[in-house]
Amino acid sequence: MQIQSVVLYSLDGRINEISFDLGRVNILTGPSGRGKSAMLSVVDYCLGASRFEIPAGVISNAVSWFALKLDFGAERLFVARRSVPVGRTASNEFFVRPNPDHETPPMSDLKPNARRDDLVEKIGSLLGVGVTLLPRADGTADRQKLTFRSGLIYSFQKQNEIANPDLYFHRQSELAQTIRDTLPYYLGAISPAIIEKQAELRNKRKRLREVERALERGVSIAANRDTELVSIVAESTRLGLIATSDIPARRSTAQILERVSSALQTTLFAGSQLADGQDVDVLKQMNTELLNKTRERSDLKKEIDALERFENDQNVVDSALNEQRRRLTALNLLADDHDSKQCPVCESWLEGVTPAVADMKQSLETLAVELAMVNSDKIDVREQLSKHRAAVTNLTSEIASLRREVQRLKVEEDSIKSLLEQKHEVARLSGMIDMFRRLISVDDDETRVAMELERASLVTDIEELESETNLSDVRAKTATFLGGIGQQITRWAREQRLEYANGFLTFDLRGPRLVSETADETIPFSRFGSGRNWVWYHLLGHLALHEWFASNKRPVPNFLILDQPSQVYFPSANGETEDNDWMEVRKIYEWLFDVVEKLDGQMQIIVTDHAKFENDSRFTDHLKHDWWEGGSLVPQDWLKQNLQS
């Protein structure tokens, strides 16, 4: 995987594309403040970095999407990732699509269609990164699925890393264990064949444990066969499935099991038929209906009591009205024109005036009407009482019938429960018999012999696989491969007449770090001393690793981004650049050109730096972008537009 170009989109959709040549050294030079160092963070962010480490302010405020055009040889991919809003760690919105024609899509096309995991999976599949074994210090290994980002560690050297005596690899302070675990895989010390054989070894070990447990169970069952069989017969007798007399003493184990199983099946079928014929909701419905009718009868009785009280009250009113009517009936003896001042009997004149006879007769007629109404009400009350009492009688009869039915259903329900309990007991016994049959099957002579032969074969296979997948061989291969890489580092260091090149330079994976092995001591990289050595050895080690990765077609991205490799040479103590400093920087670039040319397109290097050699034709041939003449990661007009908005 190499980088064809880095693409930035402004807030209003304008595009700034920074292209690079594949398989060559690409130099991007310019003054400070143009965004050179941010190039590495942009690439890392587009490739799925978990954090947004692009400098805050100018760049992050003016860019809406960051994108890469990636070249995988046979395939090309366009990857874009949305910029991060204020307060967010990183965006999980990606736009990913094949890009065979090197197209740069407009911002209107950048509709999120993938997430970080999708991108990592896609690039990993194109590189060929997959499941592998990761050896541990205790000599065991875990089968894990790697992502391509564990190999991306070797593709970046930031400004604060390339001349750092304490950190050799990108983000080593937080990823040291990842480097220790995965570098053997990226070197090729763990081959796919070993991975497959390890998987086969685990399967065979698992099968061996199963066979050995089965044989052990067979021995145990053989010793306890009679006891288990007696237990099954006793349980069958307790459940009433068979009688003791049904099991002759001379019957074989198979015959006894067949007899018990036959009785079991009959019982299970009968229980199923009876249980399935019952409606489990009938009793519940009957109880509900009984409760409703009981409440209805109670309400009717309350209404009857109220009607009876009303009838008694009407009787009292009727009696009083009749008494008054009888008293007024005598008025019929008087003439209608009788003088109210004269006594109707002796015809003497009265001192007081009595009511007129006509008025009293009117009262009598009113009483007659009221008595008629009372009599009518009494008739209606008696009719209602009669109906209510009849309804109570009917409800009482229905309630009695419902209670008898409920009682019957409860008895039937208890019977069903008892039957189901028996069915469960029978099913448990059936399970016991099935288990007993499976266990005694390994005690058959043919089965036991076959399993013993399988065990012997598995033991032989496991021994062979263990010898073929010995993880100590992986460690030995890792040491050998690192030794070969160390030879290249040592050869290059001696060609450049670097200090500490008199020893043997190699990687100590425990660090991980570069060391110089001398006859007297092992000198760690942190003690190499001088900025010149730190820069050179960072370059030598990373190029030696990438040469190995490329030559052995390992699944590592084939690019290396170097930020400010000339930083330790400028400025000098008096603020001016010495000639020997210029010469040293030119030596670095000459060496980079030579190494990449020998790799014949298999390696791409992108260098962002201040250095510029206008009179060096080889340098200018690799000078891809000169921002000393103008230009920057974020164009100036984007910034103006951002300020205006």
Side-chain angles (χ1 to χ4, degrees), residues 72-102:
F72 293 86
E75 295 188 50
R76 297 185 180 91
L77 203 65
F78 181 85
V79 175
R81 189 176 189 181
R82 193 186 293 277
S83 184
V84 177
V86 176
R88 290 275 301 277
T89 302
S91 173
N92 201 21
E93 294 182 344
F94 289 82
F95 173 76
V96 181
R97 79 177 184 192
N99 193 34
D101 299 324
H102 308 280

PDB file of all heavy atoms in Angstrom, residues 72-102:
ATOM      1  N   PHE A  72      -2.795  -0.089  -4.095  1.00  0.00           N
ATOM      2  CA  PHE A  72      -2.452  -1.419  -3.610  1.00  0.00           C
ATOM      3  C   PHE A  72      -1.871  -2.288  -4.723  1.00  0.00           C
ATOM      4  O   PHE A  72      -1.858  -3.513  -4.614  1.00  0.00           O
ATOM      5  CB  PHE A  72      -3.689  -2.111  -3.024  1.00  0.00           C
ATOM      6  CG  PHE A  72      -4.207  -1.467  -1.777  1.00  0.00           C
ATOM      7  CD1 PHE A  72      -5.085  -0.400  -1.844  1.00  0.00           C
ATOM      8  CD2 PHE A  72      -3.804  -1.905  -0.523  1.00  0.00           C
ATOM      9  CE1 PHE A  72      -5.575   0.206  -0.704  1.00  0.00           C
ATOM     10  CE2 PHE A  72      -4.287  -1.302   0.629  1.00  0.00           C
ATOM     11  CZ  PHE A  72      -5.173  -0.244   0.544  1.00  0.00           C
ATOM     12  N   GLY A  73      -1.421  -1.668  -5.786  1.00  0.00           N
ATOM     13  CA  GLY A  73      -0.897  -2.423  -6.916  1.00  0.00           C
ATOM     14  C   GLY A  73      -2.008  -2.781  -7.867  1.00  0.00           C
ATOM     15  O   GLY A  73      -2.251  -2.084  -8.859  1.00  0.00           O
ATOM     16  N   ALA A  74      -2.715  -3.854  -7.573  1.00  0.00           N
ATOM     17  CA  ALA A  74      -3.804  -4.301  -8.443  1.00  0.00           C
ATOM     18  C   ALA A  74      -5.085  -3.519  -8.187  1.00  0.00           C
ATOM     19  O   ALA A  74      -5.983  -3.504  -9.027  1.00  0.00           O
ATOM     20  CB  ALA A  74      -4.057  -5.793  -8.247  1.00  0.00           C
ATOM     21  N   GLU A  75      -5.191  -2.870  -7.044  1.00  0.00           N
ATOM     22  CA  GLU A  75      -6.402  -2.134  -6.701  1.00  0.00           C
ATOM     23  C   GLU A  75      -6.048  -0.744  -6.194  1.00  0.00           C
ATOM     24  O   GLU A  75      -4.949  -0.506  -5.691  1.00  0.00           O
ATOM     25  CB  GLU A  75      -7.205  -2.883  -5.628  1.00  0.00           C
ATOM     26  CG  GLU A  75      -7.759  -4.217  -6.089  1.00  0.00           C
ATOM     27  CD  GLU A  75      -8.713  -4.824  -5.066  1.00  0.00           C
ATOM     28  OE1 GLU A  75      -9.621  -4.093  -4.615  1.00  0.00           O
ATOM     29  OE2 GLU A  75      -8.544  -6.006  -4.732  1.00  0.00           O
ATOM     30  N   ARG A  76      -7.002   0.165  -6.310  1.00  0.00           N
ATOM     31  CA  ARG A  76      -6.857   1.520  -5.786  1.00  0.00           C
ATOM     32  C   ARG A  76      -8.103   1.859  -4.977  1.00  0.00           C
ATOM     33  O   ARG A  76      -9.206   1.415  -5.294  1.00  0.00           O
ATOM     34  CB  ARG A  76      -6.665   2.543  -6.912  1.00  0.00           C
ATOM     35  CG  ARG A  76      -5.391   2.328  -7.716  1.00  0.00           C
ATOM     36  CD  ARG A  76      -5.184   3.430  -8.749  1.00  0.00           C
ATOM     37  NE  ARG A  76      -3.973   3.214  -9.518  1.00  0.00           N
ATOM     38  CZ  ARG A  76      -3.910   2.531 -10.659  1.00  0.00           C
ATOM     39  NH1 ARG A  76      -5.014   2.003 -11.163  1.00  0.00           N
ATOM     40  NH2 ARG A  76      -2.764   2.388 -11.287  1.00  0.00           N
ATOM     41  N   LEU A  77      -7.907   2.662  -3.965  1.00  0.00           N
ATOM     42  CA  LEU A  77      -8.989   2.955  -3.035  1.00  0.00           C
ATOM     43  C   LEU A  77      -8.985   4.444  -2.705  1.00  0.00           C
ATOM     44  O   LEU A  77      -7.923   5.059  -2.544  1.00  0.00           O
ATOM     45  CB  LEU A  77      -8.794   2.146  -1.742  1.00  0.00           C
ATOM     46  CG  LEU A  77     -10.017   1.876  -0.862  1.00  0.00           C
ATOM     47  CD1 LEU A  77     -11.010   0.984  -1.609  1.00  0.00           C
ATOM     48  CD2 LEU A  77      -9.579   1.172   0.423  1.00  0.00           C
ATOM     49  N   PHE A  78     -10.182   5.014  -2.624  1.00  0.00           N
ATOM     50  CA  PHE A  78     -10.332   6.396  -2.156  1.00  0.00           C
ATOM     51  C   PHE A  78     -10.957   6.334  -0.770  1.00  0.00           C
ATOM     52  O   PHE A  78     -12.010   5.727  -0.562  1.00  0.00           O
ATOM     53  CB  PHE A  78     -11.222   7.210  -3.101  1.00  0.00           C
ATOM     54  CG  PHE A  78     -11.387   8.646  -2.684  1.00  0.00           C
ATOM     55  CD1 PHE A  78     -10.446   9.601  -3.051  1.00  0.00           C
ATOM     56  CD2 PHE A  78     -12.468   9.044  -1.909  1.00  0.00           C
ATOM     57  CE1 PHE A  78     -10.583  10.933  -2.662  1.00  0.00           C
ATOM     58  CE2 PHE A  78     -12.617  10.373  -1.515  1.00  0.00           C
ATOM     59  CZ  PHE A  78     -11.668  11.318  -1.902  1.00  0.00           C
ATOM     60  N   VAL A  79     -10.299   6.968   0.206  1.00  0.00           N
ATOM     61  CA  VAL A  79     -10.745   6.939   1.593  1.00  0.00           C
ATOM     62  C   VAL A  79     -10.858   8.369   2.095  1.00  0.00           C
ATOM     63  O   VAL A  79      -9.889   9.132   2.012  1.00  0.00           O
ATOM     64  CB  VAL A  79      -9.752   6.156   2.478  1.00  0.00           C
ATOM     65  CG1 VAL A  79     -10.174   6.241   3.937  1.00  0.00           C
ATOM     66  CG2 VAL A  79      -9.652   4.720   2.030  1.00  0.00           C
ATOM     67  N   ALA A  80     -12.022   8.747   2.606  1.00  0.00           N
ATOM     68  CA  ALA A  80     -12.216  10.084   3.171  1.00  0.00           C
ATOM     69  C   ALA A  80     -12.815   9.945   4.570  1.00  0.00           C
ATOM     70  O   ALA A  80     -13.586   9.028   4.845  1.00  0.00           O
ATOM     71  CB  ALA A  80     -13.137  10.920   2.283  1.00  0.00           C
ATOM     72  N   ARG A  81     -12.429  10.870   5.438  1.00  0.00           N
ATOM     73  CA  ARG A  81     -12.950  10.873   6.810  1.00  0.00           C
ATOM     74  C   ARG A  81     -13.333  12.294   7.183  1.00  0.00           C
ATOM     75  O   ARG A  81     -12.580  13.238   6.959  1.00  0.00           O
ATOM     76  CB  ARG A  81     -11.903  10.329   7.780  1.00  0.00           C
ATOM     77  CG  ARG A  81     -12.425  10.092   9.195  1.00  0.00           C
ATOM     78  CD  ARG A  81     -11.360   9.468  10.074  1.00  0.00           C
ATOM     79  NE  ARG A  81     -11.881   9.043  11.364  1.00  0.00           N
ATOM     80  CZ  ARG A  81     -11.149   8.489  12.328  1.00  0.00           C
ATOM     81  NH1 ARG A  81      -9.842   8.301  12.127  1.00  0.00           N
ATOM     82  NH2 ARG A  81     -11.694   8.138  13.471  1.00  0.00           N
ATOM     83  N   ARG A  82     -14.494  12.424   7.771  1.00  0.00           N
ATOM     84  CA  ARG A  82     -15.002  13.747   8.120  1.00  0.00           C
ATOM     85  C   ARG A  82     -14.147  14.373   9.221  1.00  0.00           C
ATOM     86  O   ARG A  82     -13.641  13.674  10.116  1.00  0.00           O
ATOM     87  CB  ARG A  82     -16.452  13.656   8.584  1.00  0.00           C
ATOM     88  CG  ARG A  82     -17.141  15.021   8.673  1.00  0.00           C
ATOM     89  CD  ARG A  82     -18.528  14.892   9.270  1.00  0.00           C
ATOM     90  NE  ARG A  82     -19.464  14.161   8.438  1.00  0.00           N
ATOM     91  CZ  ARG A  82     -20.150  14.683   7.429  1.00  0.00           C
ATOM     92  NH1 ARG A  82     -19.960  15.955   7.092  1.00  0.00           N
ATOM     93  NH2 ARG A  82     -21.000  13.952   6.747  1.00  0.00           N
ATOM     94  N   SER A  83     -13.990  15.683   9.150  1.00  0.00           N
ATOM     95  CA  SER A  83     -13.278  16.406  10.195  1.00  0.00           C
ATOM     96  C   SER A  83     -14.063  16.328  11.501  1.00  0.00           C
ATOM     97  O   SER A  83     -15.215  15.891  11.523  1.00  0.00           O
ATOM     98  CB  SER A  83     -13.072  17.860   9.779  1.00  0.00           C
ATOM     99  OG  SER A  83     -12.300  18.554  10.740  1.00  0.00           O
ATOM    100  N   VAL A  84     -13.422  16.765  12.572  1.00  0.00           N
ATOM    101  CA  VAL A  84     -14.011  16.580  13.893  1.00  0.00           C
ATOM    102  C   VAL A  84     -14.640  17.872  14.397  1.00  0.00           C
ATOM    103  O   VAL A  84     -13.973  18.903  14.449  1.00  0.00           O
ATOM    104  CB  VAL A  84     -12.940  16.113  14.897  1.00  0.00           C
ATOM    105  CG1 VAL A  84     -13.532  15.998  16.282  1.00  0.00           C
ATOM    106  CG2 VAL A  84     -12.379  14.781  14.461  1.00  0.00           C
ATOM    107  N   PRO A  85     -15.922  17.832  14.795  1.00  0.00           N
ATOM    108  CA  PRO A  85     -16.531  19.008  15.421  1.00  0.00           C
ATOM    109  C   PRO A  85     -15.855  19.319  16.758  1.00  0.00           C
ATOM    110  O   PRO A  85     -15.212  18.452  17.350  1.00  0.00           O
ATOM    111  CB  PRO A  85     -17.993  18.580  15.636  1.00  0.00           C
ATOM    112  CG  PRO A  85     -18.182  17.389  14.754  1.00  0.00           C
ATOM    113  CD  PRO A  85     -16.856  16.727  14.644  1.00  0.00           C
ATOM    114  N   VAL A  86     -16.032  20.523  17.214  1.00  0.00           N
ATOM    115  CA  VAL A  86     -15.435  20.933  18.490  1.00  0.00           C
ATOM    116  C   VAL A  86     -15.953  20.020  19.609  1.00  0.00           C
ATOM    117  O   VAL A  86     -17.138  19.738  19.710  1.00  0.00           O
ATOM    118  CB  VAL A  86     -15.798  22.401  18.807  1.00  0.00           C
ATOM    119  CG1 VAL A  86     -15.256  22.799  20.178  1.00  0.00           C
ATOM    120  CG2 VAL A  86     -15.232  23.307  17.732  1.00  0.00           C
ATOM    121  N   GLY A  87     -15.016  19.543  20.433  1.00  0.00           N
ATOM    122  CA  GLY A  87     -15.391  18.707  21.569  1.00  0.00           C
ATOM    123  C   GLY A  87     -15.428  17.220  21.293  1.00  0.00           C
ATOM    124  O   GLY A  87     -15.643  16.429  22.208  1.00  0.00           O
ATOM    125  N   ARG A  88     -15.207  16.807  20.052  1.00  0.00           N
ATOM    126  CA  ARG A  88     -15.222  15.378  19.702  1.00  0.00           C
ATOM    127  C   ARG A  88     -13.807  14.839  19.617  1.00  0.00           C
ATOM    128  O   ARG A  88     -12.868  15.549  19.234  1.00  0.00           O
ATOM    129  CB  ARG A  88     -15.928  15.170  18.368  1.00  0.00           C
ATOM    130  CG  ARG A  88     -17.421  15.420  18.406  1.00  0.00           C
ATOM    131  CD  ARG A  88     -18.192  14.190  18.855  1.00  0.00           C
ATOM    132  NE  ARG A  88     -17.947  13.069  17.967  1.00  0.00           N
ATOM    133  CZ  ARG A  88     -18.590  12.868  16.814  1.00  0.00           C
ATOM    134  NH1 ARG A  88     -19.501  13.742  16.411  1.00  0.00           N
ATOM    135  NH2 ARG A  88     -18.316  11.818  16.065  1.00  0.00           N
ATOM    136  N   THR A  89     -13.615  13.553  19.945  1.00  0.00           N
ATOM    137  CA  THR A  89     -12.291  12.931  19.881  1.00  0.00           C
ATOM    138  C   THR A  89     -11.927  12.569  18.452  1.00  0.00           C
ATOM    139  O   THR A  89     -10.817  12.813  17.992  1.00  0.00           O
ATOM    140  CB  THR A  89     -12.264  11.665  20.764  1.00  0.00           C
ATOM    141  OG1 THR A  89     -12.605  12.022  22.085  1.00  0.00           O
ATOM    142  CG2 THR A  89     -10.882  11.034  20.748  1.00  0.00           C
ATOM    143  N   ALA A  90     -12.843  11.973  17.733  1.00  0.00           N
ATOM    144  CA  ALA A  90     -12.612  11.588  16.336  1.00  0.00           C
ATOM    145  C   ALA A  90     -13.955  11.281  15.694  1.00  0.00           C
ATOM    146  O   ALA A  90     -14.898  10.871  16.365  1.00  0.00           O
ATOM    147  CB  ALA A  90     -11.687  10.378  16.245  1.00  0.00           C
ATOM    148  N   SER A  91     -14.015  11.460  14.379  1.00  0.00           N
ATOM    149  CA  SER A  91     -15.248  11.142  13.657  1.00  0.00           C
ATOM    150  C   SER A  91     -15.243   9.672  13.256  1.00  0.00           C
ATOM    151  O   SER A  91     -14.198   9.104  12.936  1.00  0.00           O
ATOM    152  CB  SER A  91     -15.353  12.016  12.404  1.00  0.00           C
ATOM    153  OG  SER A  91     -16.455  11.601  11.609  1.00  0.00           O
ATOM    154  N   ASN A  92     -16.408   9.069  13.275  1.00  0.00           N
ATOM    155  CA  ASN A  92     -16.545   7.677  12.829  1.00  0.00           C
ATOM    156  C   ASN A  92     -17.273   7.605  11.492  1.00  0.00           C
ATOM    157  O   ASN A  92     -17.815   6.570  11.127  1.00  0.00           O
ATOM    158  CB  ASN A  92     -17.298   6.854  13.878  1.00  0.00           C
ATOM    159  CG  ASN A  92     -17.036   5.365  13.729  1.00  0.00           C
ATOM    160  OD1 ASN A  92     -16.038   4.942  13.136  1.00  0.00           O
ATOM    161  ND2 ASN A  92     -17.920   4.551  14.257  1.00  0.00           N
ATOM    162  N   GLU A  93     -17.261   8.716  10.744  1.00  0.00           N
ATOM    163  CA  GLU A  93     -17.917   8.770   9.439  1.00  0.00           C
ATOM    164  C   GLU A  93     -16.855   8.724   8.340  1.00  0.00           C
ATOM    165  O   GLU A  93     -16.021   9.627   8.227  1.00  0.00           O
ATOM    166  CB  GLU A  93     -18.759  10.040   9.310  1.00  0.00           C
ATOM    167  CG  GLU A  93     -19.942  10.072  10.258  1.00  0.00           C
ATOM    168  CD  GLU A  93     -20.801  11.311  10.084  1.00  0.00           C
ATOM    169  OE1 GLU A  93     -20.329  12.288   9.460  1.00  0.00           O
ATOM    170  OE2 GLU A  93     -21.946  11.294  10.558  1.00  0.00           O
ATOM    171  N   PHE A  94     -16.899   7.658   7.538  1.00  0.00           N
ATOM    172  CA  PHE A  94     -15.939   7.458   6.455  1.00  0.00           C
ATOM    173  C   PHE A  94     -16.681   7.337   5.125  1.00  0.00           C
ATOM    174  O   PHE A  94     -17.834   6.877   5.086  1.00  0.00           O
ATOM    175  CB  PHE A  94     -15.123   6.182   6.674  1.00  0.00           C
ATOM    176  CG  PHE A  94     -14.124   6.260   7.795  1.00  0.00           C
ATOM    177  CD1 PHE A  94     -14.516   6.067   9.108  1.00  0.00           C
ATOM    178  CD2 PHE A  94     -12.784   6.511   7.529  1.00  0.00           C
ATOM    179  CE1 PHE A  94     -13.600   6.125  10.141  1.00  0.00           C
ATOM    180  CE2 PHE A  94     -11.859   6.567   8.557  1.00  0.00           C
ATOM    181  CZ  PHE A  94     -12.264   6.375   9.867  1.00  0.00           C
ATOM    182  N   PHE A  95     -15.990   7.730   4.082  1.00  0.00           N
ATOM    183  CA  PHE A  95     -16.468   7.478   2.721  1.00  0.00           C
ATOM    184  C   PHE A  95     -15.382   6.650   2.042  1.00  0.00           C
ATOM    185  O   PHE A  95     -14.236   7.086   1.910  1.00  0.00           O
ATOM    186  CB  PHE A  95     -16.683   8.789   1.967  1.00  0.00           C
ATOM    187  CG  PHE A  95     -17.025   8.598   0.505  1.00  0.00           C
ATOM    188  CD1 PHE A  95     -18.291   8.189   0.113  1.00  0.00           C
ATOM    189  CD2 PHE A  95     -16.061   8.804  -0.483  1.00  0.00           C
ATOM    190  CE1 PHE A  95     -18.603   8.000  -1.227  1.00  0.00           C
ATOM    191  CE2 PHE A  95     -16.368   8.628  -1.820  1.00  0.00           C
ATOM    192  CZ  PHE A  95     -17.646   8.217  -2.198  1.00  0.00           C
ATOM    193  N   VAL A  96     -15.732   5.438   1.639  1.00  0.00           N
ATOM    194  CA  VAL A  96     -14.749   4.510   1.058  1.00  0.00           C
ATOM    195  C   VAL A  96     -15.313   3.954  -0.239  1.00  0.00           C
ATOM    196  O   VAL A  96     -16.460   3.475  -0.266  1.00  0.00           O
ATOM    197  CB  VAL A  96     -14.443   3.344   2.031  1.00  0.00           C
ATOM    198  CG1 VAL A  96     -13.413   2.401   1.418  1.00  0.00           C
ATOM    199  CG2 VAL A  96     -13.962   3.873   3.369  1.00  0.00           C
ATOM    200  N   ARG A  97     -14.506   4.002  -1.307  1.00  0.00           N
ATOM    201  CA  ARG A  97     -14.946   3.375  -2.545  1.00  0.00           C
ATOM    202  C   ARG A  97     -13.738   3.059  -3.421  1.00  0.00           C
ATOM    203  O   ARG A  97     -12.690   3.713  -3.309  1.00  0.00           O
ATOM    204  CB  ARG A  97     -15.927   4.270  -3.293  1.00  0.00           C
ATOM    205  CG  ARG A  97     -15.318   5.416  -4.075  1.00  0.00           C
ATOM    206  CD  ARG A  97     -16.402   6.175  -4.837  1.00  0.00           C
ATOM    207  NE  ARG A  97     -15.847   7.236  -5.671  1.00  0.00           N
ATOM    208  CZ  ARG A  97     -16.580   8.178  -6.257  1.00  0.00           C
ATOM    209  NH1 ARG A  97     -17.903   8.184  -6.075  1.00  0.00           N
ATOM    210  NH2 ARG A  97     -16.034   9.105  -7.010  1.00  0.00           N
ATOM    211  N   PRO A  98     -13.843   2.064  -4.300  1.00  0.00           N
ATOM    212  CA  PRO A  98     -12.756   1.772  -5.246  1.00  0.00           C
ATOM    213  C   PRO A  98     -12.495   2.987  -6.133  1.00  0.00           C
ATOM    214  O   PRO A  98     -13.415   3.752  -6.456  1.00  0.00           O
ATOM    215  CB  PRO A  98     -13.298   0.581  -6.049  1.00  0.00           C
ATOM    216  CG  PRO A  98     -14.347  -0.027  -5.174  1.00  0.00           C
ATOM    217  CD  PRO A  98     -14.957   1.099  -4.399  1.00  0.00           C
ATOM    218  N   ASN A  99     -11.232   3.132  -6.526  1.00  0.00           N
ATOM    219  CA  ASN A  99     -10.862   4.318  -7.305  1.00  0.00           C
ATOM    220  C   ASN A  99      -9.900   3.936  -8.444  1.00  0.00           C
ATOM    221  O   ASN A  99      -8.750   4.384  -8.482  1.00  0.00           O
ATOM    222  CB  ASN A  99     -10.219   5.354  -6.382  1.00  0.00           C
ATOM    223  CG  ASN A  99     -10.101   6.716  -7.027  1.00  0.00           C
ATOM    224  OD1 ASN A  99     -10.956   7.113  -7.806  1.00  0.00           O
ATOM    225  ND2 ASN A  99      -9.042   7.436  -6.699  1.00  0.00           N
ATOM    226  N   PRO A 100     -10.358   3.082  -9.360  1.00  0.00           N
ATOM    227  CA  PRO A 100      -9.445   2.584 -10.410  1.00  0.00           C
ATOM    228  C   PRO A 100      -8.956   3.675 -11.360  1.00  0.00           C
ATOM    229  O   PRO A 100      -7.897   3.532 -11.963  1.00  0.00           O
ATOM    230  CB  PRO A 100     -10.302   1.546 -11.146  1.00  0.00           C
ATOM    231  CG  PRO A 100     -11.717   1.966 -10.893  1.00  0.00           C
ATOM    232  CD  PRO A 100     -11.719   2.553  -9.515  1.00  0.00           C
ATOM    233  N   ASP A 101      -9.705   4.765 -11.513  1.00  0.00           N
ATOM    234  CA  ASP A 101      -9.340   5.807 -12.483  1.00  0.00           C
ATOM    235  C   ASP A 101      -8.703   7.026 -11.829  1.00  0.00           C
ATOM    236  O   ASP A 101      -8.643   8.097 -12.443  1.00  0.00           O
ATOM    237  CB  ASP A 101     -10.594   6.237 -13.258  1.00  0.00           C
ATOM    238  CG  ASP A 101     -11.207   5.084 -14.031  1.00  0.00           C
ATOM    239  OD1 ASP A 101     -10.438   4.253 -14.542  1.00  0.00           O
ATOM    240  OD2 ASP A 101     -12.442   5.012 -14.089  1.00  0.00           O
ATOM    241  N   HIS A 102      -8.231   6.890 -10.596  1.00  0.00           N
ATOM    242  CA  HIS A 102      -7.556   7.987  -9.881  1.00  0.00           C
ATOM    243  C   HIS A 102      -8.454   9.213  -9.724  1.00  0.00           C
ATOM    244  O   HIS A 102      -7.964  10.331  -9.639  1.00  0.00           O
ATOM    245  CB  HIS A 102      -6.266   8.405 -10.606  1.00  0.00           C
ATOM    246  CG  HIS A 102      -5.336   7.280 -10.906  1.00  0.00           C
ATOM    247  ND1 HIS A 102      -4.497   6.753  -9.959  1.00  0.00           N
ATOM    248  CD2 HIS A 102      -5.113   6.582 -12.051  1.00  0.00           C
ATOM    249  CE1 HIS A 102      -3.789   5.776 -10.505  1.00  0.00           C
ATOM    250  NE2 HIS A 102      -4.140   5.637 -11.760  1.00  0.00           N
TER     251      HIS A 102
END
